[in-house]
Amino acid sequence: MWLGPEEVLLANALWVTERANPFFLLQRRRGHGKGGGLTGLLVGTLDVVLDSSARVAPYRILHQTQDSQIYWAVACGSSRKEITKHWEWLENNLLQTLSIFDNEDDITTFIKGKIHGIIAEENKNQQPLGEEDPGKFKEAELKMRKQFGMPEVEKLVNYYSCSYWKGRVPRQGWLYLTVNHLCFYSFLLGKEVTLIVQWVDVTQLEKNATLLFPECIKVSTRDSELYFSMFLNINETFKLMEQLANIAMRQLLDNEGFLEDKSLPKPSKPLKNISALKRDLDARAKNDWYRATFRLPKDERLDGHTDCTLWTPFNKMHIPGQMFVSNNYICFASKAEEACHLIIPLREVAVVEKADSSSVLPRPLSISTKSKMTFLFANLKDRDFLVQRISDFLQRTPSKKSDGSGRKWKGSFSDTGCEEFPEVSSSSPPAVSPTSTLNNQLVPSFCTGEVPTASQGLLKLFRRNSEELLGPKGAKEKMKEESWNIHFFEYGRGMCMYRTAKTRELVLKGIPENLRGELWLLFSGAWNEMVTLPGYYAELVEKSMGKYSLATEEIERDLHRSMPEHPAFQNELGIAALRRVLTAYAFRNPTIGYCQAMNIVTSVLLLYCNEEEAFWILVALCERMLPDYYNSRVVGALVDQGIFEELTRDYLPQLSEKMQELGVISTISLSWFLTLFLSVMPFESAVVIVDCFFYEGIKLILQVSLAILDANMEKLLNCCDEGEAMTVLGRYLDNVVNRQSISPPIPHLHALLTSGDEPPLEVDIFELIKTSYEKFSNLRADDIEQMRFKQRLKVIQSLEDTAKRSVVRAISGDIGFSMEQLEELYVVFKAKHLTSCYWGSSRTAAAHRDQSLPYLEQYRIDLEQFRELFASLTLWSCGLHTPVLAGRMFRLLDENRDSLINFKEFVTGMSGMYHGDLTEKLKLLYKLHLPPALISEEAESALEATSYFTEDISTEVSPFVSELDFFLHCESQEAATQEDRGGRNGDSKEKEEKGTSPQDYRYYLRMWAKEKYSKKETIKDLPKMNQEQFIELCKTLYNMFSEDPVEQELYHAIATVASLLLRIGEVGKKFSNRPMKKTDDCKANNTDAESEEESPTSEHSQNSAVEQQPQADPEDRASGDIQAGKTHQEKQIQGDGDGGEGSGSPIQLPSDDETKDDMSMSSYSMVSTGSLQCEDIADDTVLVGCEASSSAARYGSTIDTDWSISFEQILASMLTETALVNYFEKKVDIGLKIKEQKKVERQFSSSSDYDLSSSVSG
């Protein structure tokens, strides 16, 4: 690599000069290459500790002039080959030119300019503008790839100098954090430490300080604990590790989400010495925080933020804080946590203007909305740039129509999707909830059926005439409404409302029923999506109507279980609305589809909101507020359950141990969190918790849960078992009442728990919430997010372990491997699948992981990945022929023909090689040389092999004959397969007929027994093998034995067996060739051991020369594979040119009398010369029976379609040779192969001539 010329003062310190000329020196680093001694060790250690570039580039070229003492480094190289190329370029292009100069300064200036020009040219060609990483970082990435054998696609995010504690000894080195791996390298006085950990294997990340270790980061995997310390900035390193591990967990949890994660945002200003990926991850962390804090849609991207002050008219103050600007929103958060939050959607902004500066109000900015609210920001550092950015975003925001009146929202509601809640001015009366303004707007668009659409909250339609409305409770409700109206007047209404501590106070006192729908929409952020996507819900309902899926089936089953005690869901109106909302959501997000508990939450939303509003709040819940709660494995709820356990340990240490002992937390927390207490508390009390949850988030649910445990501490400590503890909590929750509710009480199903004892004390819901704030209010949202990350690692890894155990248990009965071996194989198999996710760009089918599938089907691999695994784990290594055999094995195992195999199929194939007796192993090998494992293109390579000696006469054969015979052969095979298929179809038809008679249960019993006990096929079920397939089998066996210690014995044995089998096939052909039809040879002939006895002994002696085969080179051995690799067209031409299978053609063959005595011999010669010589017989080997006459050669050039051999005959022949029996019966432990495979996956090279393309992915 060319370097921008750098000055070097001591040219020979730690370097050895290898070549020199008057202007340049080529040097090698001491200690690199052979030898080096103590100096080499010291130099190596210095290079690692000081992060010297010499570690990755141990060669360099210096420029010098004779009189000058200064040297200039102009090039460096990681290998001798690379540096020699640069050296030769300099000699060829510069030496002659330089000799012309008189002045040495001119020479140096000329060289510098030339080198800079070359570098500029290279950079222009290689990297797009704006993407270039700083030189130092690029160098670190090269070191990482070279040191750990990582492919080009593995990107470095950042690297840090630190110490790794091996025992009690710290090893100073470098920690590299890549997208998928954590890597560490240290070299101290000859002691090398290399660590590679995949992020998907990390089970815990902790930052702590102990007596033994200084402040350090602990990285735990299933097998080990690694400690790293002495970081310059430990917090930055730890935060980055968390982000990368979190991305890996998302990959395990949800493949599609992970792929979306990969599209990182691009920062507007690149920073020096930070990688682009590091910037992107920082930007992503800020985006996540921004969206979560202001409850914004998932696609919102933060553009920037700046310090400022905001004038708050309600208390006449300038509040310091930060302004955040994104594509569609301007937000403000005060520095004091609860002083003020503000969200201004750009769709609402009417005017943005710079006001006049003053000493009181420096650099102010005024933003006015269409609803006549004005916000005044001041102390903005870069006001002009900010105004420009906001105006750019405003230009991209679609304009909305307005009717110009102060109450324009109501007027333009139907065509704009309701932009804003009506603003309450001093002159106008308080406006009603937007729920009422939405009435009847969407009815015609998506409800054409008989059942009317719920166009308002069902509570309004099904409110029974309650006396409470006129009594003290009604008066209290009116006072609440009045308090909120005053609040709206002072703080604004709708999305642009100032959210302060006063807002939270009002929420905690309970939201009035009339305002509930409006405020839920507002606080959850669902309002934004509903406004920006008008008609989306109607469209979804239309699309999902009449569609059937597993989700719709589950929804139908649960519809009548959703609040059956409420009158709104005792009739078709409520049920139909619930069905539409749940089905539309399942259609929008098939990854989640439908999960139990969604029906309970949605039914409550429908009581206070219309259908569209309920749908969007459900979207906000499932996708933002309760992430991963409602997927098939309820991961989010399990994560928060882990947080709850941790908080119990911190806040209620006495109770924590008892709860663990009873195992209660896991039982209670899921029902409390998934349904937001709606399924465990009386409805009118639980709905108050839902009010607070939409304002506060998950923090409120955790607080209340802790308060409930705290209130029942004494009783729980005295419980003896889980059942008793559940009863205590159940009774307590049943008696949490809402004395302010104006709705008549709805009977609660859990009330049955209040049995014989004295009636329990009633608990006021508002008191419970107040207590939770008094005792546990110091929970912060940021802390909860931090804890969520820690628990997510734990939960997902434990789910992965459960999946592994389930898969292993499910298949262990049928497979010969032990449970431990199966678990190890599962880890290797899963790693290969995951590798395809992050390194295999084209392998989309294998990379996609469908969470709805059974565990066994979730991880699958394609042919390329299978080849890699097969090569490292197989017993039957065949050199260059191994990928071909792997391809056949893959096709044999891929039963459903989707070009992917699951773990069970993979292990079945491996077990066939490692377990079972000689018969089972040979049976597998035999099947690998029959369709579907052997494809026609591979079989045709046998034809190519026969032309090895007969190329001179291949053109003489009539093309018409070859095509006709080829067609006849295919037809006969097709007839056989159709017959087989027909038989299967017959069975299925019989099955259908039987199925029509429900009384005939005996038929099903018989079928079940047949499935259970008739799975094992006998050797008689195997079809016969034709000559092409037999040639392929011989080729595989020769390749298999090539590297065996007893190679010669095995060659001798297989030659004997092959010659015997060829004669057996000939004898069988004589019997099958009596007056029979052409296609009869495809049917099974019972040619068994009797035919062996009849085979003439003379043929054995004639062909004994085949046994005297010298060992051929591996290159010769692989010639069949090279031929097999030809293009399909070449094969087709070759097949036609060789005369196809035209052995029976009248044009080609002489009369019967001429060949009667010679038939079997010439056919045998053909096969031996065609298959065996091509692979392993040297050119000078004499084959007895291969006459020199052209007629004999002509017969030898074609494959004999009448020839066939059965598995029994192959098995019987193999058993006669001890060497073959020993080879197939030797036992090998797959554990050793797995260990080797893992080492290969973590392969790295410390040699300078390392070639990246040879690195093995893992």
Side-chain angles (χ1 to χ4, degrees), residues 336-368:
E337 201 175 337
E338 289 182 358
C340 183
H341 267 212
L342 179 65
I343 302 165
I344 309 170
L346 289 182
R347 60 177 181 269
E348 284 303 296
V349 173
V351 180
V352 178
E353 57 185 350
K354 291 183 274 189
D356 295 333
S357 281
S358 67
S359 57
V360 183
L361 209 62
R363 300 178 300 283
L365 179 70
S366 163
I367 297 175
S368 304

Side-chain angles (χ1 to χ4, degrees), residues 56-67:
V56 75
Y59 296 93
R60 71 180 183 183
I61 296 174
L62 300 180
H63 159 61
Q64 61 148 14
T65 49
Q66 286 172 350
D67 299 336

Side-chain angles (χ1 to χ4, degrees), residues 461-617:
L461 301 175
F462 291 93
R463 178 175 283 161
R464 288 168 286 186
N465 293 325
S466 172
E467 296 171 10
E468 307 289 357
L469 288 171
L470 307 169
K473 286 186 182 177
K476 180 97 178 172
E477 185 78 358
K478 284 270 187 291
M479 281 170 66
K480 276 191 199 173
E481 282 186 31
E482 195 53 43
S483 301
W484 273 99
N485 286 327
I486 292 166
H487 185 270
F488 290 148
F489 175 68
E490 285 184 17
Y491 295 84
R493 188 171 191 169
M495 200 39 84
C496 299
M497 174 168 71
Y498 292 99
R499 297 160 201 226
T500 65
K502 183 80 182 354
T503 316
R504 196 182 74 179
E505 266 176 49
L506 282 177
V507 170
L508 297 186
K509 285 178 185 171
I511 296 176
E513 283 191 359
N514 286 340
L515 294 175
R516 207 161 249 151
E518 171 184 338
L519 293 173
W520 284 1
L521 266 176
L522 204 62
F523 297 145
S524 66
W527 184 252
N528 289 317
E529 283 161 306
M530 192 174 97
V531 170
T532 49
L533 294 168
Y536 176 81
Y537 171 68
E539 199 179 304
L540 267 186
V541 170
E542 204 173 310
K543 280 182 187 170
S544 60
M545 279 294 187
K547 296 276 168 61
Y548 177 82
S549 67
L550 186 63
T552 55
E553 189 183 321
E554 289 175 345
I555 289 167
E556 286 302 322
R557 195 179 59 219
D558 283 355
L559 282 176
H560 295 277
R561 301 179 194 168
S562 311
M563 295 190 68
E565 63 275 14
H566 198 287
F569 298 100
Q570 290 166 359
N571 71 83
E572 193 49 37
L573 177 66
I575 294 290
L578 184 59
R579 179 188 291 117
R580 279 190 294 271
V581 173
L582 290 173
T583 309
Y585 186 76
F587 202 77
R588 165 192 165 89
N589 190 345
T591 313
I592 291 177
Y594 169 77
C595 172
Q596 282 191 327
M598 282 168 74
N599 58 325
I600 295 168
V601 175
T602 310
S603 54
V604 172
L605 297 178
L606 282 167
L607 291 176
Y608 297 100
C609 312
N610 71 30
E611 271 182 46
E612 188 179 20
E613 293 167 341
F615 169 79
W616 284 114
I617 296 176

Side-chain angles (χ1 to χ4, degrees), residues 586-739:
F587 202 77
R588 165 192 165 89
N589 190 345
T591 313
I592 291 177
Y594 169 77
C595 172
Q596 282 191 327
M598 282 168 74
N599 58 325
I600 295 168
V601 175
T602 310
S603 54
V604 172
L605 297 178
L606 282 167
L607 291 176
Y608 297 100
C609 312
N610 71 30
E611 271 182 46
E612 188 179 20
E613 293 167 341
F615 169 79
W616 284 114
I617 296 176
L618 182 65
V619 168
L621 267 178
C622 295
E623 294 172 19
R624 292 200 308 274
M625 297 190 74
L626 297 175
D628 306 322
Y629 258 61
Y630 298 106
N631 59 27
S632 56
R633 300 193 280 178
V634 292
V635 172
L638 291 171
V639 167
D640 287 347
Q641 175 185 300
I643 294 175
F644 183 42
E645 285 182 35
E646 204 175 315
L647 292 172
T648 309
R649 275 196 299 279
D650 294 346
Y651 288 101
L652 308 169
Q654 297 165 279
L655 191 56
S656 173
E657 210 172 301
K658 183 72 177 178
M659 297 296 275
Q660 288 296 330
E661 186 190 309
L662 297 174
V664 174
I665 286 191
S666 56
T667 317
I668 56 172
S669 51
L670 278 182
S671 56
W672 293 5
F673 297 170
L674 275 170
T675 64
L676 306 174
F677 287 99
L678 288 164
S679 63
V680 292
M681 255 187 209
F683 166 72
E684 53 278 4
S685 305
V687 85
V688 176
I689 289 183
V690 176
D691 291 342
C692 303
F693 165 73
F694 278 123
Y695 191 78
E696 290 280 36
I698 193 64
K699 167 188 160 184
L700 183 275
I701 301 291
L702 291 166
Q703 274 180 201
V704 171
S705 302
L706 287 169
I708 292 168
L709 292 188
D710 186 46
N712 291 281
M713 189 183 291
E714 280 180 35
K715 289 180 185 173
L716 289 169
L717 287 171
N718 296 325
C719 288
C720 304
D721 58 31
E722 185 188 1
E724 194 180 341
M726 292 300 291
T727 308
V728 166
L729 291 168
R731 290 183 68 180
Y732 177 85
L733 288 167
D734 271 333
N735 289 282
V736 175
V737 295
N738 178 0
R739 297 194 179 96

Side-chain angles (χ1 to χ4, degrees), residues 412-431:
S412 61
F413 195 67
S414 55
D415 49 74
T416 63
C418 183
E419 278 298 333
E420 185 59 276
F421 297 114
E423 184 197 343
V424 182
S425 64
S426 52
S427 58
S428 64

Side-chain angles (χ1 to χ4, degrees), residues 165-194:
W165 290 79
K166 195 167 185 183
R168 296 193 174 195
V169 183
R171 297 292 178 87
Q172 184 64 27
W174 290 86
L175 182 73
Y176 297 89
L177 305 181
T178 73
V179 174
N180 303 300
H181 297 88
L182 174 152
C183 308
F184 176 82
Y185 180 76
S186 167
F187 180 87
L188 289 174
L189 300 176
K191 293 277 178 79
E192 194 174 46
V193 177
T194 305

Side-chain angles (χ1 to χ4, degrees), residues 1198-1214:
T1198 57
I1199 291 290
D1200 194 340
T1201 53
D1202 297 339
W1203 190 97
S1204 67
I1205 198 96
S1206 69
F1207 176 70
E1208 295 100 311
Q1209 291 163 338
I1210 291 178
L1211 177 61
S1213 308
M1214 289 273 201

